[in-house]
């Protein structure tokens, strides 16, 4: 089994599996680096110690025989097998010369030592420098992210927006550094296939001319040498042919990482901070979480990117419900609550951003928090697409169209939260819901009514256009041909449940009137 392949798309998630794969490549480079240093040392001893040539040659041959190439992927090509076999072939040739005294050719150092040192310093050394930069950016990103997530939601909106922008910039830079590091590791792994083996081949070829039986030995070796030369050239050609394509892919990943994300077996995955209760308070522990919608299974792996190690045992629970956490109910931002079937209590989680929280809630079919003006009451109403729900929306629309259709920023300017909650409480009361459709008093401001309408729609168990059709609607909206775009959206709308379609029609007719006002 060879080394697992490194994928550019994995840089975005930066999952524990990706880190383990990266570690295996780093270990292979370290092993190669140590081997090259040892090989250079042995080569110098062979050149300078003519009297002890036999023992030095045996050690050199043994070193070659013990090293095994690790190629990327599960299957090796004929060229890779030939190259991997080459070190053992070289060792065999050297063993045959064990009792022969030789003299090192005058330019042996230029043929063997210099290229190996150049490869180790320029290629492996560059990879190590890239690793230092990657580790530094990882620590910087995680530190800034933790500091950012600890920002109080009470701060000014402008300060929060500025902080969000700063984190986005650091995240993008970390992602670019990650891509560049993966690219460099891949490049060195490929280069060693020819830049490492080729000097050895040239060194042996030089030795043959000085051996007492060099001619016969070279004659016996010529068939494999020809096969190996072709394999090296083939490997080099493939490398040169694909390097520009790989570099182009890396640039595309930098420009639009989400477009090239790997298809995941999970509905959603990524890092979340989970609130854990301690004896003297609570703490927030970073976990890598996965969620599978079909089985409703949530898996939480405590993992610290900075140390690259797990912080405890994995935990899996079955999702019962997911609810967005009210902003004024917790000090931290981007929080939501999860209830599990097989675990008592509520699990409070913190996403990495508002967009990240939205994606997690969509994946888990999350609900908006239920609002009620009576804070002490535990019997809160729920928003539904029932007769009361349609009555509330119609009342709001009627009030807007009769009293506020010409107001500037009609749905942009928000009402006072306490007034919005009070209006919703009145509208959702079954006693008042049976009154006439137009019964919203003039005392209620238009901005309060429009905010109540939007809030009620957010409180529904799911969006009107439904999570399962979300990607289909987005794909249809991007169609360039207008006729195809309208036809596809029309088809999707008619796949919605009847109540969703009726409510959507009610809202679209209202928005059309507002747009034409």
């Amino acid at each position: 089994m060879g080394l697992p392949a490194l994928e550019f798309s994995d840089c975005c998630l930066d999952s524990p599996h990706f880190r383990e794969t990266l570690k295996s490549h780093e270990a292979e480079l370290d092993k190669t680096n140590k081997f090259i240093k040892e090989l250079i040392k042995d080569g110098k001893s062979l050149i300078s110690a003519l009297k002890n040539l036999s023992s030095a040659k045996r050690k050199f041959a043994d070193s070659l025989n013990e090293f095994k190439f690790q190629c990327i992927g599960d299957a090796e090509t004929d060229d890779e097998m030939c190259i991997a076999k080459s070190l053992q072939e070289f060792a065999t040739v050297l063993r045959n010369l064990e009792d022969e005294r030789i003299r090192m050719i005058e330019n042996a150092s230029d043929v063997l030592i210099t290229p190996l040192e150049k490869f180790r310093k320029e290629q492996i050394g560059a990879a190590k420098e890239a690793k230092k930069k990657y580790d530094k950016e990882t620590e910087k990103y995680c530190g800034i992210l933790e500091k950012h997530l600890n920002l109080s939601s009470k701060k000014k909106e402008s300060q929060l927006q500025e902080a969000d922008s700063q984190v986005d910039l650091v995240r993008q830079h970390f992602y670019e550094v990650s891509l560049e590091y993966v690219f460099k590791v891949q490049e060195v792994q490929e280069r060693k296939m020819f830049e490492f083996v080729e000097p050895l081949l040239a060194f042996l070829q030089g030795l043959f001319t000085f051996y007492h039986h060099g001619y016969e030995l070279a004659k016996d070796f010529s068939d494999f040498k020809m096969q190996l030369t072709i394999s090296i050239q083939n490997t080099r050609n493939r490398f040169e042919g694909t390097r520009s394509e790989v570099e182009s892919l890396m640039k595309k990943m930098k420009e639009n990482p989400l477009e090239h994300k790997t298809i995941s077996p999970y509905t959603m995955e990524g890092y979340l901070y989970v609130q854990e209760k301690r004896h003297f308070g609570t703490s927030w522990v970073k976990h890598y979480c996965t969620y599978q919608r079909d089985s409703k299974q949530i898996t939480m792996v405590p993992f610290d990117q900075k140390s690259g190690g797990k912080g405890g045992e994995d935990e899996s629970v079955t999702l019962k419900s997911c609810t967005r956490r009210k902003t004024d109910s917790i000090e931290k931002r981007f929080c939501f609550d999860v209830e599990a079937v097989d675990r008592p209590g509520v699990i409070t989680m913190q996403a990495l951003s508002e967009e990240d929280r939205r994606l997690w809630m969509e994946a888990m079919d999350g609900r908006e928090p239920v609002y009620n003006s009576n804070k002490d009451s535990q019997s809160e109403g729920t928003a539904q697409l029932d007769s009361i729900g349609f009555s509330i929306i119609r009342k709001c629309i009627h009030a807007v169209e009769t009293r506020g259709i010409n107001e500037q920023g009609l749905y942009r300017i928000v009402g006072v939260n306490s007034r919005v909650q009070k209006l919703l409480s009145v509208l959702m009361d079954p006693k008042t819901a049976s009154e006439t459709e137009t019964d919203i008093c003039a005392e209620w401001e238009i901005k309060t009514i429009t905010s109540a309408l939007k809030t009620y729609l957010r409180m529904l168990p799911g969006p009107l256009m439904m999570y399962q059709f979300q990607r289909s609607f987005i794909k249809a909206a991007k169609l360039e041909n207008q006729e195809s775009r309208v036809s596809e959206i029309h088809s999707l709308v008619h796949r919605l449940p009847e109540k969703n379609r009726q409510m959507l029609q009610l809202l679209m007719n209202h928005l059309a009137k507002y747009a034409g006002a």
Side-chain angles (χ1 to χ4, degrees):
M1 180 68 71
L3 292 171
L6 281 169
E7 299 292 344
F8 284 135
S9 56
D10 289 339
C11 295
C12 184
L13 287 175
D14 194 21
S15 65
H17 174 72
F18 168 72
R19 288 283 181 154
E20 290 299 321
T21 302
L22 195 56
K23 278 186 177 180
S24 66
H25 281 263
E26 291 169 351
E28 171 63 17
L29 288 182
D30 285 339
K31 186 171 68 170
T32 301
N33 184 47
K34 291 176 182 177
F35 175 72
I36 292 177
K37 290 172 69 176
E38 189 67 22
L39 197 62
I40 292 173
K41 178 182 176 182
D42 294 341
K44 289 180 177 179
S45 298
L46 185 61
I47 294 171
S48 62
L50 295 178
K51 292 183 180 181
N52 300 316
L53 181 58
S54 180
S55 61
K57 184 171 55 179
R58 185 181 293 109
K59 186 177 185 302
F60 188 68
D62 291 343
S63 296
L64 292 175
N65 193 55
E66 289 171 3
F67 184 78
K68 300 293 188 298
F69 268 110
Q70 292 290 336
C71 302
I72 298 175
D74 296 332
E76 294 181 347
T77 64
D78 291 342
D79 291 329
E80 288 173 338
M81 287 189 290
C82 180
I83 291 173
K85 182 184 175 184
S86 63
L87 300 186
Q88 284 69 45
E89 290 290 332
F90 297 154
T92 300
V93 171
L94 288 175
R95 288 194 190 98
N96 291 335
L97 297 174
E98 184 178 345
D99 297 326
E100 298 292 334
R101 287 185 174 269
I102 61 169
R103 292 188 61 183
M104 179 66 70
I105 55 175
E106 293 181 356
N107 62 343
S109 180
D110 294 334
V111 172
L112 176 66
I113 306 301
T114 302
L116 291 180
E117 287 181 334
K118 182 179 179 182
F119 175 77
R120 188 177 69 83
K121 292 178 181 178
E122 294 183 0
Q123 300 302 323
I124 299 179
K128 288 184 176 181
E129 289 299 318
K131 174 175 171 53
K132 291 179 182 178
K133 183 178 179 182
Y134 176 67
D135 291 340
K136 181 179 179 181
E137 288 300 323
T138 298
E139 184 172 357
K140 178 182 177 182
Y141 167 64
C142 293
I144 289 180
L145 183 61
E146 289 176 1
K147 181 179 178 181
H148 176 66
L149 294 177
N150 284 323
L151 278 177
S152 172
S153 59
K154 308 298 182 182
K155 287 185 177 292
K156 293 182 180 179
E157 184 64 24
S158 59
Q159 292 178 314
L160 294 177
Q161 289 179 355
E162 182 179 354
D164 291 346
S165 300
Q166 182 183 6
V167 169
D168 288 340
L169 289 174
V170 174
R171 183 186 294 113
Q172 178 64 25
H173 184 62
F174 167 68
Y175 179 60
E176 292 178 1
V177 171
S178 178
L179 287 171
E180 291 170 355
Y181 179 45
V182 169
F183 174 76
K184 188 60 185 177
V185 170
Q186 293 270 32
E187 181 183 27
V188 176
Q189 294 282 31
E190 294 291 339
R191 279 183 178 276
K192 75 177 183 182
M193 301 296 287
F194 51 89
E195 290 194 4
F196 180 21
V197 178
E198 200 167 36
L200 293 168
L201 178 62
F203 173 69
L204 282 177
Q205 184 62 33
L207 284 177
F208 294 150
T209 59
F210 295 93
Y211 289 157
H212 179 66
H213 301 292
Y215 175 77
E216 292 296 330
L217 185 62
K219 192 174 180 181
D220 295 338
F221 186 74
S222 61
D223 290 341
F224 179 77
K225 184 191 75 171
M226 180 63 67
Q227 183 183 358
L228 180 59
T229 302
I230 294 172
S231 295
I232 291 173
Q233 189 58 45
N234 290 341
T235 306
R236 184 192 294 274
N237 292 341
R238 282 195 296 270
F239 170 78
E240 296 295 344
T242 59
R243 187 182 187 280
S244 59
E245 296 178 9
V246 175
E247 189 172 14
S248 175
L249 175 60
M250 182 187 71
K251 291 178 180 178
K252 289 180 180 178
M253 294 289 293
K254 285 184 178 180
E255 294 168 0
N256 196 349
L258 295 179
E259 189 176 313
H260 300 277
K261 283 182 68 175
T262 301
I263 298 176
S264 172
Y266 302 106
T267 308
M268 186 66 186
E269 62 179 314
Y271 284 99
L272 292 170
Y273 283 81
V274 179
Q275 187 182 52
E276 295 187 356
K277 291 181 172 56
R278 307 293 187 187
H279 293 296
F280 301 101
T282 60
S283 65
W284 293 85
V285 180
K286 196 173 190 180
H287 288 70
Y288 190 84
C289 301
T290 60
Y291 174 68
Q292 180 58 259
R293 178 176 285 167
D294 293 339
S295 62
K296 291 187 175 295
Q297 195 78 10
I298 305 173
T299 302
M300 298 176 286
V301 181
F303 189 82
D304 183 9
Q305 291 166 281
K306 291 186 287 187
S307 66
K310 291 175 63 175
E313 296 298 322
D314 301 358
E315 182 180 4
S316 293
V317 296
T318 303
L319 176 69
K320 180 180 179 182
S321 67
C322 172
T323 309
R324 182 178 67 82
R325 191 69 179 262
K326 296 179 184 179
T327 303
D328 55 2
S329 68
I330 191 168
E331 181 70 16
K332 290 182 176 288
R333 307 168 67 200
F334 320 134
C335 292
F336 59 95
D337 291 333
V338 169
E339 288 186 274
V341 175
D342 44 3
R343 171 173 164 170
V346 173
I347 307 171
T348 299
M349 296 179 167
Q350 183 185 27
L352 304 185
S353 65
E354 187 63 45
E355 175 67 12
D356 190 41
R357 176 169 66 176
R358 182 186 69 80
L359 293 174
W360 276 104
M361 289 190 62
E362 286 183 2
M364 295 183 179
D365 298 320
R367 293 170 179 256
E368 286 293 313
V370 178
Y371 297 87
N372 194 311
S373 60
N374 182 5
K375 298 295 183 180
D376 299 325
S377 172
Q378 297 301 316
S379 57
E380 298 180 332
T382 58
Q384 299 291 337
L385 287 177
D386 53 12
S387 58
I388 294 178
F390 274 88
S391 174
I392 291 170
I393 298 302
R394 288 193 178 101
K395 288 178 181 180
C396 292
I397 288 176
H398 184 271
V400 172
E401 291 183 352
T402 54
R403 292 197 281 124
I405 196 70
N406 293 319
E407 287 198 14
Q408 293 293 323
L410 185 59
Y411 281 98
R412 177 173 55 82
I413 300 175
V414 297
V416 178
N417 187 57
S418 59
R419 294 275 293 167
V420 174
Q421 303 310 319
K422 185 175 181 180
L423 176 58
L424 277 175
S425 178
V426 172
L427 292 175
M428 294 174 69
D429 189 338
K431 295 177 182 178
T432 61
S434 60
E435 298 178 11
T436 62
E437 297 275 323
T438 60
D439 192 24
I440 294 184
C441 299
E443 66 178 88
W444 297 102
E445 296 176 301
I446 290 300
K447 64 181 181 180
T448 303
I449 297 173
T450 56
S451 295
L453 186 151
K454 292 187 291 183
T455 301
Y456 189 84
L457 292 175
R458 283 195 293 265
M459 290 165 57
L460 292 172
L464 292 179
M465 301 171 83
M466 303 183 70
Y467 290 123
Q468 66 189 83
F469 297 121
Q470 180 186 16
R471 293 185 179 180
S472 299
F473 273 112
I474 294 174
K475 184 178 180 181
K478 291 182 178 180
L479 293 174
E480 295 183 1
N481 184 278
Q482 183 178 359
E483 184 177 344
S484 300
R485 183 168 63 251
V486 173
S487 175
E488 184 64 23
I489 293 176
H490 181 271
S491 173
L492 290 169
V493 168
H494 282 269
R495 291 171 63 187
L496 296 172
E498 181 66 23
K499 289 185 177 180
N500 293 56
R501 194 162 63 250
Q502 290 176 358
M503 180 62 78
L504 193 61
Q505 183 177 7
L506 183 64
L507 292 170
M508 292 300 103
N509 289 338
H510 167 59
L511 293 176
K513 289 181 182 179
Y514 172 55

